[in-house]
Amino acid sequence: MNHLKLSKFPTFYAIGLSYKKADAAMRGKFSLDEKAKTKLLEQAKSEGLDSLFVVSTCNRTEIYGFAEHPFQLIKLLCDNSQGTVEDFQKIAYIYKNQEAITFLFRVGTGLDSQILGDFEVISQIRNSFVESKKANLANAFLERLVNAVIQASKRVKNETELCSGATSVAFAAVNYIFNTVNDLENKNILLFGTGKIGRNTCENLVKHTKHENITLINRTKTKAEKIAGKFNLIVKDYINLPEEIHRADILVVATGAQNPTIDKNLLNLKKPLLILDLSIPKNVDENVKQIEGVSLVHMDFLSQITDETLEKRKEQVPFAEAIIEEIKEEFNSWMRARKFAPTIHALKEKLNAIKEGELDFQRKKIANFDQEQAELISNRIIQKITTHFANHLKDDNTMVDESIEWIEKIFQIETNTVK
């Protein structure tokens, strides 16, 4: 793979960090909002990188792309986030070539998710790739790879039970509320922010509680109204946040802000308040715990809540892995063929040049030379010879780089394959 002519840089990397080694605070440092992602892509172009995309969710921030050295990608991430190279070295990972390809398949199919089988990330991968394509930072390799991962995700979803059962951060949040709060039917619930996890939590709450005690507030009121309309909920203006918190028994925070939006100064409480912070970076300042009666629960804690569903999902992992292997092999076959295609093309041109020289010689030498018949026979011979070489290069046991070099030497041809 090192010599694949799909980028001016020969090595494909996946660099980043996730919930596995980075806590919520550290993930918050490296998280990228839409503006930061756009700036990162612009910087990548200005620094000469030609193909990459970036994924940033509450559980992970990663860059997938071609580079001469992984530090080029690490620098992009650190330059456009609050994270430092020193932080990165402590908690991050770097994969290259086949390892990076396998890693992206595992991420996209929910095998590397904080809650096994959570497929939320595949839409992020798709959307991030689209943004890179718009910015002319997506080559044929990346497009084919992302499409293969999307295909694997669909098949895992449809052909296994990896994502069956209600196991997600949103479900865990609702479960926690049900198990912790007494007399829930008569409690006031305030949802601040309309992030995806917040919306899913809201949907789960609506299914199991009275609608009239759930209020939505978002900085952009129209977004809240859109969701509220779907569930027939109350929407209040952002300016009413302090008084709505004062009324609430449960506050669910799911904003996409880069800094805390809730702190102790906003809380003027006369009764206990349970706060669930479902945001990365954290959107609720730890200082709220200084106020008597406040309980603060972060999504990292909720993600640890497992149930029978999770155990059942684990049984589905081998089936998911088999699907990944099948689609990954199709991708690798395409990649191998694309790698040696320039050599086969150059070989065919060389043989055609030899043919033309020989036919020209025989035409002058032989009376009544049958040009058409000679063309037909020699073209068939050239086709058979190049097919033999192509089959050799396609074989899994072939040392492709050495074979390409050997073909080029013997036939004295040059191709664009990077060495």
Side-chain angles (χ1 to χ4, degrees):
M1 159 144 190
N2 282 16
H3 310 318
L4 189 62
K5 181 62 177 174
L6 287 168
S7 167
K8 65 184 172 187
F9 298 114
T11 309
F12 178 63
Y13 289 104
I15 67 104
L17 56 128
S18 74
Y19 67 93
K20 287 186 177 176
K21 281 182 77 176
D23 61 18
M26 190 59 79
R27 298 202 304 277
K29 274 189 178 185
F30 283 95
S31 72
L32 302 164
D33 58 18
E34 292 309 311
K35 192 175 174 184
K37 284 185 200 173
T38 303
K39 280 182 70 181
L40 187 150
L41 294 181
E42 287 168 358
Q43 185 179 332
K45 285 185 92 166
S46 71
E47 293 182 1
L49 296 170
D50 62 357
S51 191
L52 57 85
F53 70 93
V54 58
V55 173
S56 187
T57 73
C58 54
N59 288 329
R60 62 181 66 249
T61 298
E62 292 157 347
I63 300 175
Y64 297 88
F66 284 90
E68 200 167 359
H69 191 279
F71 185 73
Q72 291 169 289
L73 304 179
I74 295 164
K75 180 178 178 293
L76 279 180
L77 178 55
C78 295
D79 284 355
N80 291 282
S81 70
Q82 303 302 311
T84 65
V85 174
E86 290 73 27
D87 289 334
F88 185 90
Q89 287 170 333
K90 289 174 195 164
I91 44 87
Y93 39 79
I94 298 169
Y95 299 108
K96 65 189 258 190
N97 295 337
Q98 280 298 324
E99 279 186 350
I101 290 169
T102 300
F103 180 66
L104 180 56
F105 269 101
R106 292 187 69 83
V107 170
T109 52
L111 292 183
D112 200 72
S113 296
Q114 189 165 21
I115 290 182
L116 182 65
D118 184 353
F119 280 87
E120 297 288 342
V121 74
I122 193 64
S123 59
Q124 289 265 6
I125 290 170
R126 185 191 291 109
N127 296 340
S128 296
F129 173 75
V130 168
E131 290 306 309
S132 287
K133 196 170 179 181
K134 281 181 192 168
N136 293 317
L137 278 167
N139 59 16
F141 171 96
L142 219 52
E143 182 152 23
R144 184 86 177 208
L145 177 57
V146 169
N147 285 336
V149 172
I150 291 168
Q151 184 193 353
S153 174
K154 283 178 183 170
R155 281 191 55 189
V156 168
K157 212 177 281 188
N158 295 333
E159 296 173 28
T160 75
E161 293 180 24
L162 189 69
C163 61
S164 65
T167 297
S168 66
V169 172
F171 177 73
V174 174
N175 230 18
Y176 184 84
I177 291 169
F178 288 154
N179 294 333
T180 310
V181 180
N182 296 320
D183 192 25
L184 186 59
E185 293 294 307
N186 295 311
K187 302 294 184 187
N188 294 321
I189 301 170
L190 174 61
L191 175 64
F192 175 42
T194 52
K196 190 149 194 174
I197 293 173
R199 293 199 304 273
N200 291 346
T201 304
C202 183
E203 192 167 349
N204 279 305
L205 283 168
V206 166
K207 283 177 187 172
H208 301 100
T209 62
K210 291 189 299 182
H211 291 205
E212 58 265 24
N213 63 357
I214 302 177
T215 302
L216 263 64
I217 291 182
N218 193 59
R219 283 180 190 272
T220 310
K221 193 177 180 183
T222 50
K223 282 187 181 177
E225 285 173 337
K226 196 173 176 183
I227 294 164
K230 185 180 173 186
F231 301 123
N232 195 27
L233 305 175
I234 301 160
V235 175
K236 291 290 176 78
D237 289 311
Y238 177 61
I239 200 168
N240 299 124
L241 183 62
E243 64 191 71
E244 289 303 321
I245 291 174
H246 182 71
R247 283 183 64 251
D249 299 287
I250 301 160
L251 169 61
V252 179
V253 182
T255 72
Q258 291 295 299
N259 297 300
T261 51
I262 304 289
D263 63 20
K264 67 176 184 179
N265 298 322
L266 260 179
L267 309 185
N268 177 25
L269 305 180
K270 292 189 176 171
K271 59 180 176 179
L273 178 65
L274 168 63
I275 304 176
L276 300 182
D277 186 358
L278 309 183
S279 314
I280 292 289
K282 288 182 178 179
N283 277 191
V284 181
D285 196 301
E286 294 286 320
N287 66 18
V288 299
K289 293 195 279 192
Q290 296 169 15
I291 298 175
E292 193 178 344
V294 170
S295 303
L296 174 61
V297 177
H298 191 259
M299 65 174 290
D300 274 8
F301 171 77
L302 296 170
S303 297
Q304 294 164 14
I305 299 172
T306 57
D307 56 13
E308 292 170 17
T309 306
L310 204 52
E311 293 308 309
K312 286 178 186 172
R313 287 185 179 193
K314 284 177 184 173
E315 294 169 9
Q316 298 296 308
V317 169
F319 303 110
E321 288 175 335
I323 290 169
I324 289 172
E325 283 308 308
E326 185 186 328
I327 295 175
K328 197 172 73 171
E329 183 46 45
E330 287 171 12
F331 173 76
N332 284 333
S333 294
W334 168 83
M335 197 168 64
R336 283 194 297 272
R338 189 176 175 97
K339 178 178 181 178
F340 62 70
T343 302
I344 295 297
H345 181 70
L347 174 61
K348 192 173 266 190
E349 284 188 343
K350 181 74 173 186
L351 293 174
N352 274 316
I354 294 169
K355 175 198 82 171
E356 291 300 332
E358 188 60 30
L359 292 185
D360 191 48
F361 173 77
Q362 296 298 341
R363 192 167 44 247
K364 291 171 185 172
K365 193 176 177 185
I366 301 171
N368 302 320
F369 180 66
D370 191 336
Q371 174 83 20
E372 194 177 324
Q373 190 70 19
E375 283 270 2
L376 185 67
I377 292 167
S378 51
N379 284 343
R380 281 178 62 84
I381 291 169
I382 288 171
Q383 186 59 42
K384 286 180 186 294
I385 290 169
T386 52
T387 299
H388 272 287
F389 277 107
N391 288 339
H392 166 73
L393 292 168
K394 279 179 192 171
D395 193 299
D396 287 344
N397 297 317
T398 298
M399 303 287 282
V400 177
D401 295 328
E402 286 80 349
S403 291
I404 286 173
E405 194 173 338
W406 177 78
I407 292 166
E408 287 175 353
K409 274 184 182 173
I410 289 177
F411 290 95
Q412 296 175 340
I413 55 179
E414 285 186 16
T415 66
N416 293 325
T417 310
V418 176
K419 286 288 185 284

